[in-house]
Amino acid sequence: MADSPQHRIFAMLDVDGDGVITQEEYLARVDRVAAAMGRDAGDPVVAVARAAHEAVFRDMDADGDGRVTFEQYRAWVGHEAFERSCRPALGSLFDLADTDADGHLDRAAFTRLRTAAGNAETDAGAAFDALDTDHDGLIDRDAYLTGIRDFVTTGSSPMAAAYGAGPALGARS
């Protein structure tokens, strides 16, 4: 698979490496992040995250077959799709990790979020360092979402470090 932002993100979302993102794979991100943050399925923040991710999957799955190929993903992904559906979904994952609801994540929470979402721990640490521009040990929600949007839409972002060594889940040979 080529090395573009879209390929890297698709590979992270295609947990089993079979060339398609299933609805189950995609929604499992919410469950992994919730579990990593100690939130149970009945938590209202988990319900919001699940609903946001269901909306993204419906948006990505152009033919409604419950599977998203790379070609479908590539045709869908971009600034408009990010603002329409990814921003709320990714913001909901941030909110799962932001257990004190102060709009910030420290290194430990950020790393748990990113590794549960499918990044290698070292990549998450590099992304944290790049996003923590004021060196206060915290990442705010807007900087996080802007970093991901810029990576998805332009390939240039501090969040690129999060996708550096490839996904921690669904290792490919």
Side-chain angles (χ1 to χ4, degrees):
M1 191 173 270
D3 188 31
S4 70
Q6 294 80 22
H7 283 101
R8 288 182 185 191
I9 292 170
F10 185 87
M12 181 185 71
L13 298 173
D14 178 18
V15 176
D16 64 8
D18 68 353
V20 297
I21 304 165
T22 64
Q23 185 171 11
E24 293 76 23
E25 281 175 313
Y26 192 73
L27 296 179
R29 295 179 72 198
V30 174
D31 300 332
R32 290 191 313 267
V33 172
M37 304 316 294
R39 294 185 184 261
D40 64 43
D43 187 319
V45 179
V46 175
V48 168
R50 182 165 276 285
H53 280 74
E54 288 169 350
V56 170
F57 194 84
R58 281 191 305 272
D59 202 24
M60 279 193 301
D61 186 13
D63 61 7
D65 69 353
R67 300 165 42 95
V68 176
T69 65
F70 178 72
E71 292 306 318
Q72 286 175 306
Y73 177 78
R74 186 173 61 189
W76 170 82
V77 75
H79 184 78
E80 184 180 316
F82 186 89
E83 294 302 327
R84 178 181 60 245
S85 59
C86 290
R87 180 177 290 277
L90 292 167
S92 73
L93 291 180
F94 186 98
D95 296 343
L96 284 172
D98 184 11
T99 56
D100 63 3
D102 71 352
H104 296 89
L105 298 180
D106 63 16
R107 178 180 292 278
F110 181 87
T111 301
R112 283 195 314 273
L113 164 62
R114 294 309 308 167
T115 56
N119 298 123
E121 189 171 336
T122 55
D123 297 341
F128 184 92
D129 291 341
L131 287 170
D132 185 15
T133 58
D134 63 2
H135 308 290
D136 68 352
L138 299 170
I139 304 299
D140 72 52
R141 191 177 196 272
D142 289 337
Y144 177 73
L145 294 173
T146 298
I148 296 174
R149 182 203 62 215
D150 291 350
F151 181 70
V152 168
T153 60
T154 71
S156 176
S157 161
M159 283 301 293
Y163 305 98
L169 300 171
R172 320 287 188 267
S173 46

